[in-house]
Amino acid sequence: MPLKNYGVLKSRALNRKLGEGPSPHYQVLVTDNKQKHRIAINVKSQQSPSELLYLVDENFSHPMTKELLELDFGFYELPRQPGGIALDYIRGNLFDPKQMKPLPYNVPGPDNDLNELLELYIARAIASTDAILYPFGERWGPEIDIKDKYFGFLPGNGIHDIHMNQGNAAQFQRDNGVWQDGGLLIHYPTRNQWVGIFLAFQSQAFHTDDITGNRIDDTDIITPVVTTGAVRIVAALVNPLGEDVNKETVSLINISQQTVDLNGWSLADRSKHKQPLEGAINPGEVLRVTIDSDSIQIDNNGGIITLLDDKGIKIHGVSYTRKQAQKQGWTIVF
């Protein structure tokens, strides 16, 4: 079954401890200005291979950040559906998964393991006067009569599962679900910088069922190189001159050496409404698709655009912010 109490905690970092022991987690003490919480971040997998996949985006840009800024401090349980601020590594177009790399949690020497990578960003957030943390995952507690075993506050409570939470097999399949992935965003308001930290297990599959989050193909495992399709989204005109109705466009390119039949394929918006595609795209050709506003919405306030094949599998996806869409008549290049 999916995670319980999935959500995001808007907070500030106070302290931390490196992950150690048989099931190491990097521990972070945070406050929401009313009570303390502990963030427990996996740094080693219980399944082989033990190294987690990671990606750090020091210039994270996504339409969800606008909604996060509007939250007061505290924990928010999130609806597990498109169009909101819940995370989904596959459907949310948060980052390019093929950029994820494996990293052991503890290796002799400086700056060469996952513990030290997290330490770099968390220590910086603790030292900053304005850094705000947004950990996504499953909430536990409050444990009324139990002090936190790492930081000693009472009642004990916090957030764990700060990693991808779908595509699991065997005993971990019970945690699968869509729009419930974990992650950590750090915002520095004075310099308007967002840092995104995303983690996944190498035993997880990247293509999952849209309802259950279960893996579609047991041989489809997340690896440092994730298979991508021949067709990619390269540009979009989301704020055309004049009336917006049916003037928005999305440009696709075929990067392969073969013609790709697009019949049965579709484009999807942030709410996962779909616009069917038809025809074919030749090798090296760019196809400009006019958006039907009755099918999908390409919003000037920021959004995501996803390309799906005839089996409903995500081939490519992009996101854009309100700032990128401000210039009327200008095309956004991805």
Side-chain angles (χ1 to χ4, degrees):
M1 59 184 296
L3 301 183
K4 299 177 181 178
N5 301 321
Y6 172 73
V8 62
L9 172 66
K10 186 170 184 176
S11 55
R12 298 187 188 276
L14 300 175
N15 202 351
R16 77 285 190 192
K17 293 182 182 291
L18 298 181
E20 56 186 8
S23 181
H25 289 67
Y26 185 95
Q27 310 288 349
V28 187
L29 175 65
V30 302
T31 178
D32 64 6
N33 297 332
K34 293 181 180 179
Q35 60 179 329
K36 294 178 179 178
H37 309 256
R38 173 165 55 90
I39 305 172
I41 306 175
N42 290 72
V43 291
K44 182 182 179 181
S45 174
Q46 296 181 36
Q47 291 185 316
S48 181
S50 63
E51 297 86 358
L52 267 70
L53 296 170
Y54 82 95
L55 183 144
V56 176
D57 185 350
E58 291 195 340
N59 293 289
F60 180 72
S61 178
H62 195 276
M64 67 179 296
T65 58
K66 178 179 179 294
E67 298 176 52
L68 291 174
L69 289 175
E70 296 171 354
L71 297 178
D72 292 327
F73 282 85
F75 176 80
Y76 296 85
E77 188 167 357
L78 299 177
R80 301 173 211 207
Q81 61 189 31
I85 58 176
L87 301 187
D88 192 304
Y89 284 16
I90 298 172
R91 298 160 186 85
N93 298 350
L94 302 166
F95 57 88
D96 185 350
K98 69 175 179 293
Q99 300 298 324
M100 300 189 86
K101 299 178 180 179
L103 190 64
Y105 88 99
N106 189 12
V107 176
D111 303 327
N112 60 0
D113 59 49
L114 189 52
N115 255 329
E116 292 166 337
L117 177 79
L118 293 171
E119 176 71 4
L120 171 66
Y121 292 97
I122 298 302
R124 185 182 299 170
I126 293 173
S128 173
T129 59
D130 68 342
I132 301 173
L133 273 62
Y134 296 87
F136 291 77
E138 182 180 62
R139 182 182 185 179
W140 81 82
E143 300 166 326
I144 303 301
D145 299 320
I146 303 175
K147 287 186 177 181
D148 184 80
K149 63 181 179 180
Y150 288 93
F151 300 107
F153 62 88
L154 187 71
N157 69 99
I159 305 287
H160 64 158
D161 291 326
I162 315 289
H163 49 68
M164 182 174 171
N165 291 306
Q166 57 184 307
N168 293 294
Q171 71 268 32
F172 297 105
Q173 183 171 326
R174 64 182 183 273
D175 295 331
N176 286 343
V178 297
W179 298 102
Q180 59 155 32
D181 286 333
L184 176 62
L185 301 182
I186 305 174
H187 182 219
Y188 298 91
T190 55
R191 58 177 181 265
N192 195 27
Q193 179 190 13
W194 287 83
V195 176
I197 301 175
F198 306 101
L199 302 168
F201 300 114
Q202 294 188 66
S203 57
Q204 291 174 310
F206 193 71
H207 289 151
T208 64
D209 181 83
D210 280 337
I211 304 299
T212 65
N214 292 336
R215 59 202 305 141
I216 290 177
D217 182 352
D218 285 345
T219 64
D220 179 24
I221 305 299
I222 294 183
T223 63
V225 179
V226 178
T227 302
T228 57
V231 183
R232 301 177 68 84
I233 301 169
V234 292
L237 175 61
V238 302
N239 188 7
L241 293 171
E243 295 294 331
D244 286 359
V245 179
N246 295 334
K247 289 187 177 180
E248 299 99 335
T249 63
V250 173
S251 297
L252 310 176
I253 186 171
N254 180 359
I255 62 174
S256 77
Q257 60 182 355
Q258 296 180 333
T259 298
V260 176
D261 182 2
L262 296 178
N263 287 296
W265 289 41
S266 61
L267 291 174
D269 61 17
R270 189 177 183 184
S271 299
K272 296 308 170 189
H273 299 135
K274 298 177 183 178
Q275 174 174 327
L277 300 177
E278 59 183 20
I281 181 170
N282 296 319
E285 184 176 271
V286 175
L287 175 65
R288 195 178 187 192
V289 179
T290 300
I291 297 303
D292 178 1
S293 59
D294 291 331
S295 298
I296 62 176
Q297 297 296 318
I298 306 299
D299 196 336
N300 295 350
N301 290 318
I304 68 174
I305 309 169
T306 304
L307 178 65
L308 306 172
D309 70 7
D310 57 351
K311 298 180 179 63
I313 300 297
K314 176 182 172 180
I315 300 301
H316 191 231
V318 297
S319 65
Y320 62 92
T321 65
R322 180 179 182 178
K323 182 178 180 180
Q324 289 176 295
Q326 281 181 344
K327 289 187 177 181
Q328 193 173 30
W330 286 66
T331 296
I332 301 171
V333 178
F334 302 107

